[in-house]
Amino acid sequence: MPACPPETHAHPSPVDQPLSITYDHEAREMERYRGLALSFLPSHPHVSRLMAALGIECEQRLAALETLAERLERRSCLPAPLARRRDHATQYRQHLFIRDDATAAQTLSYALAFAQHSLQFSELMARHCQLAGLDTLLTRFADGKRRECRLLEELRDQSPVTARATGSFG
């Protein structure tokens, strides 16, 4: 019998909470990167492609969490896919496009701050997780998020606005 019956997926047991919380966190990260990919598309397509790739990495982490949940017979502790889609669709109804370099630089700085927060979250969850297999998965996630932060730092540092502020552009 699964540890988290279907009717209680919104309130998993304390042992199952790290799985559920991590899943919710990654789903929000995925939607954030998808939104950023769309925002950057008209004026900074190279940044848009990176954001889309980071969103795909989040999808892959979600799939890994689903696989682990299946293996541990805790799939019902995760939200249903249809409910997730409905929640995310209402969350992103209004969307803004980035049209200038200053806004792009500021948005990249925010994206980096969120990525650093996500890295800290994964590291803390891995350190304190008591669910078999999740700690190893979270350690792997943290490694990917470190790379994500480096990519975003490099991109931010190459931004024309950032380069002008430091005197290294043109």
Side-chain angles (χ1 to χ4, degrees):
M1 173 141 178
C4 190
E7 64 275 4
T8 64
H9 81 282
H11 304 288
S13 72
V15 172
D16 295 323
Q17 280 181 342
L19 179 62
S20 178
I21 291 169
T22 301
Y23 193 88
D24 287 343
H25 176 79
E26 281 302 320
R28 282 191 307 276
E29 287 288 292
M30 178 185 68
E31 292 302 323
R32 188 173 55 75
Y33 280 124
R34 285 179 175 175
L36 287 169
L38 183 59
S39 292
F40 280 105
L41 186 60
S43 60
H44 298 80
H46 66 289
V47 177
S48 176
R49 284 189 296 275
L50 174 63
M51 296 301 171
L54 295 175
I56 290 168
E57 288 181 14
C58 292
E59 279 185 73
Q60 292 168 345
R61 287 191 286 266
L62 287 168
L65 288 166
E66 289 171 0
T67 300
L68 177 65
E70 290 285 340
R71 190 167 40 93
L72 298 175
E73 297 183 357
R74 288 178 160 84
R75 180 64 181 97
S76 58
C77 296
L78 303 179
L82 182 59
R84 278 197 325 264
R85 272 187 262 132
R86 240 186 257 128
D87 289 344
H88 295 308
T90 57
Q91 185 178 7
Y92 292 98
R93 280 189 184 154
Q94 184 180 16
H95 193 82
L96 302 173
F97 290 107
I98 294 169
R99 296 166 42 126
D100 59 72
D101 288 340
T103 305
Q106 184 177 26
T107 304
L108 283 172
S109 290
Y110 286 132
L112 175 59
F114 277 105
Q116 290 167 336
H117 169 75
S118 187
L119 169 60
Q120 291 172 344
F121 172 84
S122 293
E123 289 173 337
L124 285 170
M125 292 297 283
R127 196 173 309 137
H128 299 290
C129 181
Q130 297 176 1
L131 191 59
L134 185 57
D135 55 343
T136 306
L137 196 56
L138 286 166
T139 300
R140 209 173 80 220
F141 288 3
D143 291 341
K145 289 174 185 286
R146 272 187 214 88
R147 185 184 61 77
E148 192 175 296
C149 287
R150 280 193 304 274
L151 288 170
L152 290 169
E153 284 171 353
E154 290 171 12
L155 191 59
R156 181 203 58 195
D157 293 345
Q158 293 171 1
S159 164
V161 173
T162 304
R164 275 195 296 270
T166 60
S168 62
F169 183 71

